[in-house]
Amino acid sequence: MIVTIVIDLHCHLLPGVDDGANDLAQAVRMCEIAHRDGCRAMVATPHLRHERYENADRRLLEQAHRGLCEEVHRRFGDELKVFLGGEIAVHSQSLAEIDALPASSLLPLAGSRYLLLELSTHDLGPDPVEMVYELGLAGWRPIIAHPERISWLVSDSGLLAAIVDHGGLLQLTAMSLTGAFGPAIQNAADHMMDQGWVRFVCSDAHDERIRPPGLSAARRRVTKEWGRSVAQAIFERHPRAVLEDRPLEPTPLPEARPASPAGSKTQGWVARLKRLTSR
Ligand SMILES: [Fe+2]
């Protein structure tokens, strides 16, 4: 029997350290939602080096993680595991700080060689293509968090393609795919899916209501639009490889979606590809 384990690699579960869970009780309520939705492993990824959430004291984060794990184990036993990682805001010092690991206090995902990187929404910072390439040469596996929500990336498909070609692993937010952030972000997410660039879909949950955990709605849409084998890779096999610190297998090629009726909110795969290549 094949056991499916859905894993959420990006959520702000750690209580009291950023704009995610305020306290342990809220973190546990978020875990309940995730568990009910079918999630069996989560990586708590507090903002690191964010302009508002520096989180430079790793011991404090590890302490908060231990407290959360004890409570999660008490409530869910072996049915839900919470690992520790971080969402690293990229700025000019990031490469030097990553280079200093483990002496620096940055946190890779679940102790692996995978790094979850958040590019600035308003400032280009280091060249992202050079950055992912350099990190790859140093043995890291860089994951780019929610590129569909970063307007300067969305508007430059050639840059995104170069990031992917140089080793950047793209992670979409589940709510982007389901349309909760509006049609522009959904279209950007769809385009990345159509291209076969996406390796992960995560909740990036911050609370129980506005940004809740849960991947099943996005998974249903990925299965319907791009095929079951793509969904299995993105929601199960790739995140599992992260937890086991293995390289990713190739993502199966996405099935071409049927063209939507003219004038509908989303345009078909072929139409979008034509538009892209005609620029
Ligand atoms: Fe996040």
Side-chain angles (χ1 to χ4, degrees):
M1 189 177 83
I2 297 171
V3 179
T4 60
I5 298 183
V6 174
I7 298 164
D8 189 351
L9 294 179
H10 181 174
C11 52
H12 297 264
L13 266 188
L14 220 55
V17 300
D18 62 8
D19 53 349
N22 289 318
D23 52 30
L24 186 58
Q26 188 178 25
V28 169
R29 289 196 297 276
M30 291 167 69
C31 288
E32 278 168 359
I33 293 169
H35 181 260
R36 215 180 306 132
D37 192 67
C39 195
R40 292 296 176 264
M42 307 173 86
V43 183
T45 51
H47 288 294
L48 304 179
R49 310 304 183 267
H50 186 275
E51 55 193 15
R52 287 173 59 201
Y53 310 105
E54 175 76 2
N55 279 325
D57 188 339
R58 186 164 54 193
R59 284 173 313 167
L60 275 182
L61 299 176
E62 287 168 345
Q63 197 176 11
H65 175 239
R66 274 196 300 277
L68 178 59
C69 285
E70 281 169 18
E71 191 58 21
V72 166
H73 186 71
R74 200 174 71 73
R75 302 226 177 192
F76 303 98
D78 290 333
E79 286 218 346
L80 183 65
K81 298 269 182 224
V82 177
F83 298 86
L84 182 59
E87 180 177 17
I88 301 166
V90 171
H91 53 67
S92 58
Q93 299 305 308
S94 299
L95 280 176
E97 205 175 351
I98 291 166
D99 207 35
L101 275 167
S104 77
S105 60
L106 289 179
L107 288 161
L109 295 181
S112 71
R113 298 292 290 181
Y114 286 87
L115 298 166
L116 180 63
L117 303 174
E118 180 181 36
L119 300 177
S120 167
T121 53
H122 52 82
D123 167 17
L124 292 180
D127 179 333
V129 177
E130 256 178 53
M131 182 186 68
V132 297
Y133 182 68
E134 296 266 327
L135 288 173
L137 285 181
W140 295 102
R141 298 177 179 130
I143 300 175
I144 305 297
H146 43 67
E148 79 284 7
R149 289 160 49 202
I150 299 173
S151 57
W152 57 268
L153 269 184
V154 168
S155 63
D156 191 342
S157 198
L159 177 60
L160 263 174
I163 290 173
V164 171
D165 286 347
H166 286 78
L169 307 166
L170 302 192
Q171 175 253 299
L172 298 181
T173 298
M175 288 174 75
S176 301
L177 277 169
T178 58
F181 296 138
I185 288 178
Q186 188 180 33
N187 281 342
D190 287 0
H191 170 65
M192 294 175 207
M193 286 296 303
D194 287 342
Q195 298 297 314
W197 290 340
V198 177
R199 312 306 294 269
F200 309 98
V201 175
C202 303
S203 74
D204 197 5
H206 281 67
D207 56 35
E208 314 97 304
R209 292 181 190 87
I210 300 169
R211 302 278 304 276
L215 301 174
S216 62
R219 182 175 182 150
R220 278 195 296 279
R221 178 153 190 262
V222 169
T223 303
K224 180 168 170 263
E225 303 271 11
W226 293 279
R228 185 171 300 276
S229 58
V230 171
Q232 274 172 347
I234 287 175
F235 289 89
E236 294 175 38
R237 291 209 308 277
H238 293 339
R240 192 169 190 150
V242 171
L243 293 189
E244 294 171 0
D245 202 12
R246 292 184 282 105
L248 301 188
E249 300 162 13
T251 306
L253 283 176
E255 291 172 13
R257 294 184 293 145
S260 305
S264 73
K265 183 182 73 177
T266 55
Q267 294 184 22
W269 177 81
V270 174
R272 267 210 298 278
L273 190 59
K274 276 185 185 158
R275 207 175 61 232
L276 180 76
T277 52
S278 67
R279 279 180 189 157

